[in-house]
Amino acid sequence: MGLKIYSSTLNLCDALETSIQRALKAVSADEICGLVFCGTSDTVGYHELLADIKAEVYKILGKKVPVTLIPQYLLPHGGLSLDIYTLEGAVEIRTEERGGVCYGIIENSDESLLFVEGIPASDFSDSVHTPSREVFDKLDTVLTDYGFAVDDIVRQWNYIGSIVSYREGKQNYQEFNDARTHYYAKGAWKNGYPAATGIGASGDCIIVGGIAFKKRGEGDKGIYPIDNPLQVAAHIYSKRVLIDDATDAMKSTPKFERAKLIETARGACCFVSGTAAIRGEESMDASSARLQTIKTIENIEYLVSKENLARFGCKPYDLKYVALQVFIKSAEDYEEVRAEVEKAYPNVSVVYSIADVCRRELLVEIEGILIS
């Protein structure tokens, strides 16, 4: 795909414009398909900060590009991180904006890819159901404008403030999954659900972004949902693990695949969903962040192994990690989690942040992107 991700931590002793400008010097503006900032824990001023960041980025680059701001505290010392998603080589990336949502379009005679920035709900104070529907409506408008359907989404990021907490007697994650299931009912999903992360964030935010991809004239060829035999697929979890212990209410299943691999004109790209220490459908090692990290890494390594890729009809790609994001429930577990991640992935760019995972007993979640 020619995908490359440049990661940096911004020096907030400088002015915002100066720190962003320094980070963006590493890349050509024409190669950027999206910027992802992580680090604010103030959702009261979230929309204002996002607007300021976008204004500085647009001024520096001389054009609009997709900008996502993730409201999670950056470990170990706060601040802001920046991941710059680029597509290198002779490829044209058009960036446009509709209804306040910016997106990048990459297309040729064989395929189209749409990179949609994280779309925040306009009001974080409402119950989860209403802002979730609002965000999905905005996402659907962008997809429809460029001839994509909901089931062309191959990667989705979902940030749900206070994910395991309750409002009006309903768990926030349950409410989000119900809204996602309602939206996904528009698609046939013949190529499987997207790879996805559903993770906690500061405050009561709802933010959704993603990547859509489709091939022309080749049917399903080149788009592979990847399951993990070590884990039950999330979208077929049993009723037992979907009953919320505080309300006895039935939750819609989380609609995502463990990974999604796409074959593009420039190579293969594998999106690894947010992964935790779950075997079958049971959480493991509830009292140890270190042991959960080890289990999570084992899950990911088997998921993207040549043996497992072959099980789903993929070529034996030599996949290399280009980025990892590690979500840690408690800052006090950072050092031992980081030690295990760095042992497994010594040369990979990693962003660590504080976030609740979708089950109270889960202490760590990891997502990643690999390319051939």
Side-chain angles (χ1 to χ4, degrees), residues 193-240:
Y193 292 113
T197 300
I199 195 71
S202 301
D204 293 320
C205 67
I206 296 294
I207 303 164
V208 175
I211 298 173
F213 177 76
K214 65 179 180 179
K215 308 281 277 188
R216 295 191 179 90
E218 298 187 65
D220 299 343
K221 184 180 178 183
I223 304 175
Y224 301 92
I226 310 297
D227 205 351
N228 191 340
L230 300 178
Q231 300 179 291
V232 172
H235 53 84
I236 58 169
Y237 277 160
S238 71
K239 292 181 179 181
R240 181 174 56 82

Side-chain angles (χ1 to χ4, degrees), residues 16 18 65 72 77 83 90-91 112 116 146 206 224 242 286 288 292 298-299 309 317 319 343:
L16 183 63
T18 303
V65 298
Q72 295 170 344
H77 304 303
D83 281 348
V91 57
S112 297
V116 183
Y146 282 90
I206 296 294
Y224 301 92
L242 294 176
S288 171
Q292 284 196 7
E298 289 173 354
N299 284 342
L309 293 180
Y317 288 111
L319 294 173
K343 186 191 307 181

Side-chain angles (χ1 to χ4, degrees), residues 88-343:
E88 299 180 314
V91 57
E92 181 186 0
I93 304 170
R94 292 186 293 115
T95 55
E96 300 181 13
E97 186 181 63
R98 177 185 172 93
V101 179
C102 194
Y103 43 93
I105 307 104
I106 303 100
E107 56 189 347
N108 56 37
S109 58
D110 300 317
E111 61 198 23
S112 297
L113 184 145
L114 185 70
F115 191 106
V116 183
E117 68 184 7
I119 305 170
S122 57
D123 182 0
F124 289 167
S125 65
D126 210 339
S127 65
V128 171
H129 178 80
T130 299
S132 297
R133 293 287 289 271
E134 174 203 346
V135 167
F136 284 130
D137 285 346
K138 289 181 178 179
L139 175 60
D140 195 56
T141 297
V142 173
L143 292 173
T144 303
D145 277 357
Y146 282 90
F148 288 87
V150 60
D151 47 13
D152 289 321
I153 301 172
V154 293
R155 182 59 167 110
Q156 189 169 308
W157 287 271
N158 310 292
Y159 303 101
I160 303 134
S162 306
I163 188 170
V164 292
S165 297
Y166 298 82
R167 276 191 269 183
E168 299 175 2
K170 295 183 179 179
Q171 190 205 45
N172 291 336
Y173 191 47
Q174 171 191 330
E175 284 282 274
F176 179 83
N177 280 327
D178 288 345
R180 174 166 52 178
T181 295
H182 181 270
Y183 175 47
Y184 278 11
K186 297 175 65 172
W189 300 102
K190 61 183 179 180
N191 294 325
Y193 292 113
T197 300
I199 195 71
S202 301
D204 293 320
C205 67
I206 296 294
I207 303 164
V208 175
I211 298 173
F213 177 76
K214 65 179 180 179
K215 308 281 277 188
R216 295 191 179 90
E218 298 187 65
D220 299 343
K221 184 180 178 183
I223 304 175
Y224 301 92
I226 310 297
D227 205 351
N228 191 340
L230 300 178
Q231 300 179 291
V232 172
H235 53 84
I236 58 169
Y237 277 160
S238 71
K239 292 181 179 181
R240 181 174 56 82
V241 297
L242 294 176
I243 293 177
D244 189 280
D245 58 6
T247 64
D248 290 333
M250 298 307 301
K251 296 193 291 185
S252 299
T253 55
K255 303 293 192 295
F256 69 92
E257 308 292 346
R258 298 298 180 187
K260 200 73 173 276
L261 186 142
I262 62 174
E263 293 173 337
T264 78
R266 310 182 70 81
C269 183
C270 183
F271 299 104
V272 174
S273 298
T275 304
I278 295 173
R279 293 291 169 87
E281 58 182 11
E282 303 294 335
S283 302
M284 309 294 289
D285 301 311
S287 62
S288 171
R290 187 182 74 84
L291 293 179
Q292 284 196 7
T293 304
I294 293 170
K295 282 281 197 316
T296 300
I297 290 169
E298 289 173 354
N299 284 342
I300 292 173
E301 288 303 292
Y302 188 75
L303 177 69
V304 300
S305 67
K306 291 182 179 179
E307 172 190 355
N308 196 51
L309 293 180
R311 181 177 283 109
F312 297 95
C314 298
K315 298 173 185 175
Y317 288 111
D318 242 347
L319 294 173
K320 298 188 181 347
Y321 292 88
V322 293
L324 290 170
Q325 174 109 20
V326 179
F327 308 100
I328 304 174
K329 183 172 183 176
S330 175
E332 67 186 22
D333 294 326
Y334 166 70
E335 290 296 344
E336 63 179 9
V337 171
R338 182 181 60 83
E340 295 300 332
V341 172
E342 289 189 354
K343 186 191 307 181

